[in-house]
Amino acid sequence: MISFGSFGLKAMEPKWINNRQIEAARQALTRHMKREGNVWIRIFPDKPITRKPAEVRMGKGKGSLEFWAAVVKPGLIMFELDGVPMKVAQEALLLAAQKLPIRTKFVVRHDYAGE
């Protein structure tokens, strides 16, 4: 459910999204909107993902930190926009969706009156 803005990008499948993917999507959004309007990022990468190097024997403790990830479930609104026309918002969110590894959907707030 959209809480802050008028338009949103909704996740349609479960996945981990890392901090670099979130930042790439944010940059695509703000650049397409020419830094007008407001952007809310509703996901935060708070899950540390660790990996052991290749060809290392089992045991000897936990691997080193590889990246931080946000856990995304279907139906979660990941980004919200406001202060721009619907066409600009739709194009910006579709550009941001191309930076993410999951299927997404453009959604509009149920009480959006239009501009």
Side-chain angles (χ1 to χ4, degrees):
M1 181 169 178
I2 298 178
S3 301
F4 303 107
S6 299
F7 314 104
L9 190 66
K10 181 179 186 178
M12 300 305 287
E13 57 189 16
K15 190 92 169 179
W16 286 346
I17 298 181
N18 70 30
N19 52 347
R20 291 171 183 253
Q21 293 163 338
I22 295 170
E23 178 62 13
R26 184 198 65 79
Q27 285 180 3
L29 272 175
T30 55
R31 286 184 181 155
H32 186 77
M33 292 170 41
K34 298 184 174 72
R35 291 163 188 77
E36 294 175 357
N38 297 337
V39 176
W40 290 271
I41 303 172
R42 301 276 306 273
I43 54 176
F44 186 78
D46 56 357
K47 181 181 183 70
I49 307 300
T50 60
R51 293 233 169 93
K52 292 183 74 82
E55 299 182 12
V56 173
R57 293 184 181 187
M58 299 297 285
K60 305 287 190 273
K62 194 175 179 84
S64 60
L65 180 69
E66 191 77 12
F67 60 90
W68 290 87
V71 179
V72 173
K73 295 179 179 173
L76 178 74
I77 303 293
M78 298 183 291
F79 296 93
E80 292 187 24
L81 298 180
D82 203 5
V84 291
M86 182 185 266
K87 186 176 184 217
V88 173
Q90 189 170 14
E91 291 169 355
L93 286 170
L94 290 177
L95 279 175
Q98 291 176 348
K99 308 292 182 186
L100 300 173
I102 61 174
R103 289 185 303 114
T104 57
K105 183 178 182 182
F106 175 75
V107 292
V108 180
R109 192 179 186 116
H110 62 80
D111 57 355
Y112 175 69
E115 294 176 20

